[in-house]
């Protein structure tokens, strides 16, 4: 599955408007531990390897177009698919990831409230490092549908008066605040837009 998402900072009035008519799907706390090697090889490809609550996940970024506010990610959640993408045997994924030189660079705990409204998933995250962000997300089957999904998200956000100022994602904001060399390497690789 491929997710197309755009991030927003909300004031209380905007949050109320966003959640108007929405249905709470779930609330949970996620602990995400992010991994890369000393050369930021994954990050420089807009690939994010994380262990979320004890399960491995790999997010593979696909840039929509220059200046687009949405990000598109293919998510791999099965150990075998993750191992194949990383070129690992996949018999003991955790050990193989460590043996391949991937190390923890960030641990982010976030409280998430997730809602459904008009075909959109609305995630409101409060991170333990003081970054609270909302995401409007659509799931698509094929990368070919990303522009249409982006346009739907933009139209929905505009219809409820959300500010579409570009924002950094949670791990990128963490890098920006705490690991400037890592952040700069991804900027120079062209993976990140300067915000």
């Amino acid at each position: 599955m491929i997710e197309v998402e755009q991030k927003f900072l909300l004031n209380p009035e905007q949050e109320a408007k966003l959640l108007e008519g929405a249905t709470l799907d779930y609330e949970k706390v996620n602990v995400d531990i992010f991994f890369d090697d000393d050369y930021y090889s994954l990050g420089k490809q807009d690939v994010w390897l994380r262990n979320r609550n004890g399960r491995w996940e790999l997010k593979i970024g696909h840039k929509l177009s220059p200046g687009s506010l949405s990000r598109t990610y293919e998510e791999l959640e099965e150990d075998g698919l993750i191992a194949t993408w990383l070129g690992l045997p996949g018999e003991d994924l955790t050990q193989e990831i460590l043996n391949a030189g991937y190390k923890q660079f960030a641990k982010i705990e976030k409280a998430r409230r997730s809602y459904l409204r008009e075909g959109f998933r609305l995630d409101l995250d409060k991170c333990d490092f003081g970054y609270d962000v909302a995401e409007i997300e659509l799931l698509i089957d094929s990368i070919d549908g990303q522009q249409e999904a982006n346009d739907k998200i933009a139209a929905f956000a505009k219809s409820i008066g959300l500010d579409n100022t570009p924002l950094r994602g949670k791990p990128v904001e963490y890098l920006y605040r705490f690991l400037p060399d890592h952040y700069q390497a991804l900027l120079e690789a062209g993976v990140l837009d300067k915000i």
Side-chain angles (χ1 to χ4, degrees), residues 36 39-48 61 63 71 175 180-194:
D36 207 336
Y39 308 100
Y40 319 125
S41 299
L42 296 176
K44 288 178 180 179
Q45 299 174 73
D46 199 11
V47 174
W48 301 88
K63 196 150 193 176
R71 301 296 289 188
L175 294 179
D181 291 343
H182 193 154
Y183 177 80
Q184 187 63 35
L186 273 55
L187 260 183
E188 290 172 4
V191 170
L192 305 178
D193 296 321
K194 192 161 188 146

Side-chain angles (χ1 to χ4, degrees), residues 111-171:
R112 169 168 284 181
R113 291 181 293 139
S114 188
Y115 297 83
L116 301 173
R117 177 180 172 183
E118 300 172 30
F120 297 97
R121 176 164 297 281
L122 314 172
D123 291 332
L124 280 64
D125 291 332
K126 290 182 78 62
C127 299
D128 62 350
F129 66 95
Y131 191 54
D132 300 345
V133 65
E135 297 174 351
I136 300 176
E137 174 184 298
L138 281 173
L139 294 178
I140 57 176
D141 295 323
S142 164
I143 203 77
D144 298 334
Q146 65 181 339
Q147 184 62 55
E148 181 182 349
N150 179 64
D151 293 345
K152 284 181 181 178
I153 291 170
F156 175 67
K158 184 178 181 182
S159 76
I160 58 175
L162 297 185
D163 178 7
N164 65 357
T165 301
L167 298 175
R168 290 180 279 271
K170 294 171 287 286

